[in-house]
């Protein structure tokens, strides 16, 4: 296994680390290296860019959603045949969980013994850039801050001023620089960047990113710095091997994957597969029915609000989904999937679109954030993922709200902040849908319970069919 790895961190959000990290991945891959991309934190969109840039599924590293041993296992599995790992950070270098500051880019870099390159937005900065870099270096002297990448530099003279100040006062080398407008802008909307899967011109954009990064950063030096990473610490988990050993017979599970629904952690899906799931992709936009053999279904997050007309028009899929649920097929949905399962979604223009009608609620989009943050929640009642009182860890980020249609609405989760209790989602026989995104590797028992529910349904379904045929 290659131990070459490097973290691309930022002083804060918006400094250009996604563009630089993705461009670096694309440039190294174009040079013939097997590049493994990673994203720190609960992000679905950036990994999509990494995946297209490298030709390999990007992975998330998060010590709130999964244990440190799981992070080490994910990293080791993904880099087993890679030449180099490029790890994109989240927010600012030291920004982490509210509770303890853990899970930050710096924390993951320390866990992986990886050197860090700090991206600094040079806009309107002179010698003060040195003070900023010095602060980041001194905040955690144990972190290996290997260099600085300057972004949005104004001119050659500006570059020399910044470079001299940073290197003279901090001892940290400037290993690359990009002049203002050297990189193409990545298109964005209310939840951040537009997913790569929606963009027709994405390959051309990635080529521009690669060329821009290669022009401003010495790729050979980046590879050399990545080679200075320390040995990976012991303690990697063995969750995948244990799951595979205990999996038993495989069970077909339909997974919604198209332009509207594409928010999945790759290792979450891989863990379900290790437990015995045969994952069958389907499209709520384009398919007229679920895969006939499916014994369970997962509808993840995404941007259903962008495709409401097409989703509403695909009535045959909605009918088939309702039929399967009525038969008792286990159905798990999160965020965008929850929205799709409601009676209706009202968009920002006030137009209302009929959806699946499986969750007895209406959904409405709004312009301000409705939910954001990590969640440690408890099940309100027994369901397909666990028992009442069991805890899960997840994350939510959404701009829509839910209005239940009945007093008997059954929430899926509850959690407490101070003296206040909060509730989320909906659960009923065979259904669990909520705004909370789960990583099944960090919620192993919930994953196992879902697969077991699918197997029970498949067994009962086959028994019913045999009796009917008899």
């Amino acid at each position: 296994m290659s131990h070459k790895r490097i973290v691309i961190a930022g002083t804060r959000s918006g400094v250009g680390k996604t563009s630089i990290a993705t461009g670096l991945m694309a440039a190294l891959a174009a040079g013939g290296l097997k590049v493994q991309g990673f994203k720190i934190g609960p992000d679905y969109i950036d990994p999509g860019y990494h995946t297209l840039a490298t030709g390999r599924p990007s992975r998330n590293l998060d010590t709130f959603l999964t244990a440190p041993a799981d992070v080490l296992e994910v990293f080791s599995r993904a880099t087993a045949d890679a030449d180099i790992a490029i790890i994109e950070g989240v927010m600012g270098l030291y920004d982490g969980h509210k509770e303890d500051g853990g899970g930050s880019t710096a924390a993951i870099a320390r866990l992986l013994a990886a050197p860090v390159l700090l991206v600094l937005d040079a806009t309107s900065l002179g010698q003060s850039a040195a003070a900023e870099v010095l602060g980041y270096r001194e905040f955690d002297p144990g972190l290996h801050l290997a260099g600085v990448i300057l972004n949005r530099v104004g001119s050659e003279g500006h570059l020399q001023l910044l470079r001299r100040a940073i290197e003279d006062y901090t001892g940290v080398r400037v290993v690359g620089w990009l002049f203002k407008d050297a990189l193409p802008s990545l298109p964005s909307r209310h939840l951040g960047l537009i997913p790569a899967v929606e963009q027709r011109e994405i390959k051309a954009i990635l080529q521009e990113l690669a060329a821009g990064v290669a022009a401003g950063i010495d790729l050979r030096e980046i590879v050399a710095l990545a080679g200075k990473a320390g040995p990976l610490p012991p303690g990697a988990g063995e969750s995948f091997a244990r799951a595979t050993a205990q999996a038993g017979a495989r069970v077909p599970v339909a997974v919604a994957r198209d332009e509207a629904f594409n928010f999945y952690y790759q290792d979450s899906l891989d863990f379900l597969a290790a437990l015995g799931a045969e994952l069958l992709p389907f499209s709520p936009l384009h398919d007229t029915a679920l895969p006939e053999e499916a014994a369970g279904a997962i509808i993840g997050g995404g941007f259903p609000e962008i495709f409401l007309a097409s989703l509403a028009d695909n009535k045959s899929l909605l009918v088939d989904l309702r039929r399967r649920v009525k038969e008792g097929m286990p159905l798990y949905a999160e965020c965008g999937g929850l929205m799709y399962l409601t009676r209706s979604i009202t968009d920002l223009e006030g137009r209302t679109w009929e959806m699946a009608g499986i969750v007895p609620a209406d959904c409405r989009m709004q312009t301000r954030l409705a939910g954001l943050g990590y969640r440690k929640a408890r099940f309100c009642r027994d369901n397909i993922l666990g028992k009442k009182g069991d805890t899960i860890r997840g994350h939510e980020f959404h701009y829509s709200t839910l209005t239940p249609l009945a007093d008997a609405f059954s929430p899926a989760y509850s959690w407490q902040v101070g003296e206040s209790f909060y509730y989320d989602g909906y659960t009923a026989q065979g259904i669990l849908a909520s705004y909370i995104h789960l990583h099944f590797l960090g919620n192993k028992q919930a994953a196992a319970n879902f697969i077991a529910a699918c197997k029970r349904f498949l067994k009962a379904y086959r028994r019913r069919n045999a009796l009917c045929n008899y």
Side-chain angles (χ1 to χ4, degrees), residues 197 254-266 269 279-287 298-300:
V197 69
V255 180
R257 300 207 78 161
D258 58 17
E259 300 91 329
F261 302 98
N262 48 71
F263 287 7
Y264 298 99
Y265 299 121
Q266 184 62 47
L269 294 177
L279 302 177
L280 308 175
F282 76 97
S283 170
L285 285 171
H286 309 299
D287 292 336
I298 299 172
I299 307 177

Side-chain angles (χ1 to χ4, degrees), residues 64-118:
F64 181 90
L65 297 179
T66 63
D70 293 326
V71 169
L72 289 171
E73 182 178 9
V74 163
F75 186 84
S76 297
R77 281 169 48 85
T79 57
D81 63 343
D83 297 317
I84 188 171
I86 305 296
I87 306 158
E88 183 191 342
V90 59
M91 299 188 292
L93 177 58
Y94 296 107
D95 297 325
H97 309 151
K98 293 179 181 179
E99 295 90 340
D100 58 6
S104 66
T105 300
I108 298 295
R110 286 194 301 270
L111 176 64
L112 298 178
V116 175
L117 296 180
L118 184 67

